[in-house]
Amino acid sequence: MVISLNRRSKIALTVALALGLTACNDAQSKTDKPASTEAAVINTTPNKAQAIAFINDAEAKMAELSIESNRAEWIYSNFITDDTAALSAAVGEKVSAASVKFATEAAKYANVDLDPVNARKLNILRSALVLPAPLDPAKNAELAQISSELNGLYGKGKYCFADGNCMTQPELSSLMAESRDPVALLEAWKGWREIAKPMRPLFEREVELANEGAKDLGYANLSELWRSQYDMKPDDFSQELDRLWGQVKPLYESLHCYVRGELNKEYGDNIAPTTGPIPAHLLGNMWAQQWGNVYDLVAPDNADPGYDVTELLAKNGYDEHKMVKQAEGFFTSLGFAPLPESFWARSLFVQPKDRDVVCHASAWDLDNLDDIRIKMCIQKTAEDFSVIHHELGHNFYQRAYKQQPFLFKNSANDGFHEAIGDTIALSITPSYLKQIGLLEEVPDASKDIGLLLKQALDKIAFLPFGLMIDQWRWKVFSGEITPAQYNQAWWDLREKYQGIKAPVERSEADFDPGAKYHVPGNVPYTRYFLAHILQFQFHQALCETAGDKGPVHRCSIYGNQAAGEKLNKMLELGLSKPWPEALKEVTDKEAMDAKAVLDYFAPLKTWLDEQNTAANRQCGW
Ligand code: X8Z
Ligand code: ZN
């Protein structure tokens, strides 16, 4: 997977060894000196050579361990059984012990004056952990086991309806997307959340152990550690998020107001009232995180573009493989090399009928070189066509930075990794669909509001969701939210940020956060909020590079090699530079800025406000 240091893979071995040798020779010459007062001082105060030797050794060991870990995790996620869970836990324990050992040791060199590359690597060794185990080996083993078990509980999750029909997560998600029957929607919504109840004690213990691990490493708690991974102070990062959210909040509120009003027309006052938070089961998505699936319910009367990508895919005989091939074609049109044969042979595209797999889409880099793959239970829908681009964005990023040393084989910050495929998917415009033969006629400019509304239902609706998950987790980690308040605090934040409420009463017997993959999976979520800002910055800048003169929501960079080159310049940096420098490669700016989001949706914002005023809607909740 692309997720963290604990879940990555092996380095270009030659690079690691070369670095390791240089440092080893250097360190060797120091220790070979006859004992003297000077040598004694060197022994107690670590010097530069010792620090570099440590970094190189740690980097090589982590690189090696990552291959073993990736293989075990790949097999576990593709074949969930008690045995593969045990193997996953065992390797997790090894990786965790090594990364905690190196992170602890790295602290010893904190005051050594190092060159920027090694200083950065040292910092990565110290802080790039998402599930730090306590130093106590028994607790490390316990944490690894809990982590595997939580993943398995999510992957194996099913809900069986009264008629005996059992559904997995992708099947329940399709129902949530397609059904307009509030009773069926409610049952699927409630049913899926049953799978999370048994996670609660495990999650509580996981938090306890990982917090202890974070403290062992010198952080106040796991929240501080997670927020330390953005080339700035943790509290400054929190403020940065507030700033970005402040920029987009008025747009979200206009959208919320409009959608709530339209849902009321469909479902009536009892099910979808015109005031207060929107019931979470009516928005076309299991978590009410993206609302594009209810576009048909809220589409503008005169500005609907008149096509549906799901239908176009079906009409043109697209199966799962063809959908991925088409997405690959976008990347190659920008100048990226095609995916290797092994990608096609080893990826999982279709949900197997005969076994439990983790269906949540992911991209993997098994050997940190060329063995890239995706694992996804693809549905033949517009939504999953986008998700495929998202996943391939990870794979093309991984391949672009494969020449970097292991510790820099990652994105500039985690939001960048999540933004690349989405940036490409923003170029799936009507003219692109025409170019690839899916669409016959490009709708004229009078249909722009429809196009923008569809996009906003996914991208703008997502923003507060992308933010609130870690607002909840950070408070859980810091102890501000206690286990007795897990579910109530979750819904308080859902209401505060999203203006969404549970459709039925919930209690502390429920554990609704566990019904979202990234909570049992321990994947930080703020990355997706950042990605939803960054992708608009990237898209705007790349369209400019491509010389596109039209409105940015009509721009597609398909086939533009200059845009591809610029993008690649940023991607190949990996994590070797602070993220503002990487950002500058594409955007010429060093700050994240939601202005690009506001520019993109400017005509829609005006239209939404007009609609809300005309309908005399009381916005807010
Ligand atoms: O988890 C994902 C990707 C894999 S990194 C499919 N996403 C978030 C989600 O599904 O909740 C992409 C958008 C947000
Ligand atoms: Zn992703």
Side-chain angles (χ1 to χ4, degrees):
M1 290 234 281
V2 295
I3 308 299
S4 69
L5 193 61
N6 310 17
R7 289 181 186 273
R8 277 187 308 144
S9 33
K10 206 184 102 187
I11 189 184
L13 203 58
T14 43
V15 181
L17 286 177
L19 280 171
L21 272 177
T22 318
C24 274
N25 294 343
D26 213 15
Q28 193 67 36
S29 63
K30 299 277 187 232
T31 43
D32 281 348
K33 274 188 186 165
S36 68
T37 331
E38 194 199 339
V41 171
I42 286 167
N43 279 344
T44 51
T45 316
N47 65 21
K48 203 168 158 177
Q50 287 168 324
I52 293 174
F54 158 72
I55 292 165
N56 290 330
D57 178 54
E59 183 167 49
K61 294 227 167 72
M62 289 309 293
E64 203 179 302
L65 265 180
S66 73
I67 282 203
E68 191 183 335
S69 164
N70 287 338
R71 292 208 173 116
E73 295 300 341
W74 175 264
I75 294 165
Y76 179 38
S77 312
N78 276 278
F79 192 84
I80 308 175
T81 68
D82 292 343
D83 298 317
T84 56
L87 292 173
S88 148
V91 74
E93 195 181 326
K94 252 166 94 172
V95 173
S96 183
S99 41
V100 168
K101 177 176 148 249
F102 293 137
T104 312
E105 219 175 321
K108 287 200 298 196
Y109 301 99
N111 294 323
V112 178
D113 186 23
L114 289 169
D115 59 282
V117 168
N118 279 302
R120 193 164 173 77
K121 286 187 178 178
L122 193 69
N123 192 42
I124 291 168
L125 283 169
R126 270 195 80 180
S127 65
L129 287 85
V130 290
L131 197 62
L135 292 165
D136 174 352
K139 288 182 175 168
N140 178 23
E142 186 187 354
L143 182 58
Q145 201 169 344
I146 289 175
S147 163
S148 283
E149 204 176 327
L150 281 169
N151 266 308
L153 280 172
Y154 190 93
K156 284 187 292 194
K158 280 175 205 73
Y159 174 67
C160 299
F161 289 84
D163 65 1
N165 179 23
C166 298
M167 287 193 185
T168 58
Q169 190 272 310
E171 291 158 345
L172 289 164
S173 272
S174 296
L175 189 157
M176 295 299 297
E178 288 157 20
S179 172
R180 301 292 179 246
D181 169 3
V183 176
L185 289 169
L186 184 58
E187 184 169 5
W189 189 95
K190 266 169 53 185
W192 176 245
R193 279 156 182 78
E194 287 297 307
I195 67 129
K197 287 183 175 172
M199 294 177 189
R200 181 186 265 265
L202 295 168
F203 178 80
E204 184 180 337
R205 182 67 178 148
E206 184 178 66
V207 170
E208 225 170 70
L209 290 168
N211 260 339
E212 192 180 325
K215 283 185 191 135
D216 284 351
L217 295 176
Y219 295 88
N221 52 49
L222 190 55
S223 163
E224 194 181 273
L225 174 56
W226 278 22
R227 290 180 294 119
S228 295
Q229 303 177 5
Y230 296 92
D231 296 302
M232 59 172 85
K233 292 201 188 94
D235 289 348
D236 292 348
F237 179 63
S238 296
Q239 277 189 20
E240 187 67 354
L241 293 177
D242 290 345
R243 180 181 68 77
L244 294 167
W245 172 232
Q247 283 186 285
V248 292
K249 199 167 166 231
L251 176 55
Y252 178 72
E253 285 172 350
S254 300
L255 180 71
H256 178 281
C257 191
Y258 173 78
V259 168
R260 184 178 57 189
E262 297 301 303
L263 288 178
N264 175 262
K265 289 186 198 163
E266 169 77 15
Y267 291 110
D269 289 344
N270 283 339
I271 290 166
T274 51
T275 56
I278 305 174
H281 63 317
L282 303 178
L283 289 155
N285 177 278
M286 183 57 88
W287 307 275
Q289 66 178 64
Q290 283 138 332
W291 307 346
N293 290 322
V294 295
Y295 172 75
D296 59 321
L297 298 184
V298 304
D301 290 338
N302 308 315
D304 178 49
Y307 69 82
D308 173 62
V309 175
T310 302
E311 283 165 17
L312 295 179
L313 292 168
K315 206 173 94 189
N316 288 277
Y318 273 60
D319 61 7
E320 296 83 353
H321 188 273
K322 193 163 176 203
M323 287 166 77
V324 182
K325 263 278 162 214
Q326 192 65 62
E328 179 200 32
F330 202 120
F331 287 87
T332 54
S333 87
L334 299 176
F336 292 91
L339 293 162
E341 267 316 303
S342 56
F343 170 91
W344 300 102
R346 295 170 190 171
S347 288
L348 178 89
F349 296 156
V350 182
Q351 181 172 12
K353 290 207 166 52
D354 59 344
R355 62 181 202 265
D356 289 321
V357 304
V358 177
C359 267
H360 189 86
S362 55
W364 298 63
D365 181 4
L366 276 278
D367 65 351
N368 294 316
L369 276 180
D370 301 304
D371 192 353
I372 45 185
R373 312 174 190 177
I374 65 170
K375 182 174 66 58
M376 187 174 166
C377 304
I378 298 176
Q379 313 285 304
K380 288 173 270 181
T381 61
E383 186 179 349
D384 270 8
F385 193 44
S386 267
V387 178
I388 292 168
H389 289 76
H390 174 97
E391 296 309 329
L392 290 193
H394 287 309
N395 281 156
F396 281 96
Y397 207 156
Q398 287 159 338
R399 213 176 35 183
Y401 58 57
K402 73 173 185 178
Q403 301 301 347
Q404 292 285 349
F406 177 74
L407 292 172
F408 294 156
K409 285 187 191 222
N410 210 331
S411 52
N413 72 37
D414 55 3
F416 282 58
H417 232 310
E418 301 304 335
I420 302 311
D422 284 15
T423 301
I424 301 304
L426 288 178
S427 278
I428 307 179
T429 57
S431 66
Y432 168 69
L433 292 172
K434 187 172 178 201
Q435 261 177 293
I436 62 169
L438 274 177
L439 187 64
E440 276 163 27
E441 278 294 314
V442 173
D444 64 38
S446 70
K447 307 292 186 259
D448 278 15
I449 291 300
L451 291 167
L452 283 168
L453 180 59
K454 174 80 167 75
Q455 195 74 284
L457 289 170
D458 285 330
K459 302 294 182 180
I460 302 303
F462 181 80
L463 288 161
F465 182 77
L467 200 56
M468 66 74 52
I469 296 216
D470 283 351
Q471 298 293 320
W472 179 81
R473 265 193 297 206
W474 294 346
K475 286 190 165 76
V476 165
F477 296 157
S478 73
E480 201 184 314
I481 295 173
T482 65
Q485 304 161 328
Y486 277 169
N487 221 55
Q488 182 61 47
W490 172 262
W491 284 106
D492 289 348
L493 289 166
R494 292 272 263 168
E495 178 164 338
K496 175 182 166 189
Y497 284 100
Q498 290 185 276
I500 296 289
K501 67 174 184 195
V504 283
E505 202 174 326
R506 309 305 283 164
S507 77
E508 294 303 328
D510 300 305
F511 183 56
D512 294 330
K516 178 68 199 159
Y517 167 78
H518 303 71
V519 174
N522 197 53
V523 181
Y525 209 81
T526 305
R527 56 183 62 180
Y528 302 107
F529 173 79
L530 299 178
H532 277 68
I533 307 282
L534 285 167
Q535 61 189 265
F536 287 94
Q537 287 186 262
F538 295 152
H539 179 66
Q540 191 173 57
L542 293 172
C543 285
E544 213 166 285
T545 304
D548 193 284
K549 299 276 177 274
V552 74
H553 61 271
R554 286 258 177 185
C555 159
S556 177
I557 61 167
Y558 181 62
N560 193 286
Q561 307 255 329
E565 247 169 62
K566 195 159 216 184
L567 180 59
N568 189 50
K569 278 221 162 65
M570 178 175 86
L571 302 190
E572 67 189 9
L573 284 178
L575 180 56
S576 67
K577 296 272 161 58
W579 64 259
E581 286 182 46
L583 182 60
K584 202 172 172 189
E585 288 288 343
V586 166
T587 66
D588 276 336
K589 307 247 166 55
E590 294 196 349
M592 292 189 274
D593 187 358
K595 182 159 184 310
V597 178
L598 304 182
D599 288 349
Y600 187 102
F601 290 105
L604 181 72
K605 171 80 168 97
T606 308
W607 184 84
L608 287 170
D609 290 345
E610 279 165 15
Q611 301 298 307
N612 290 332
T613 308
N616 204 11
R617 290 180 179 136
Q618 299 294 307
C619 295
W621 51 87

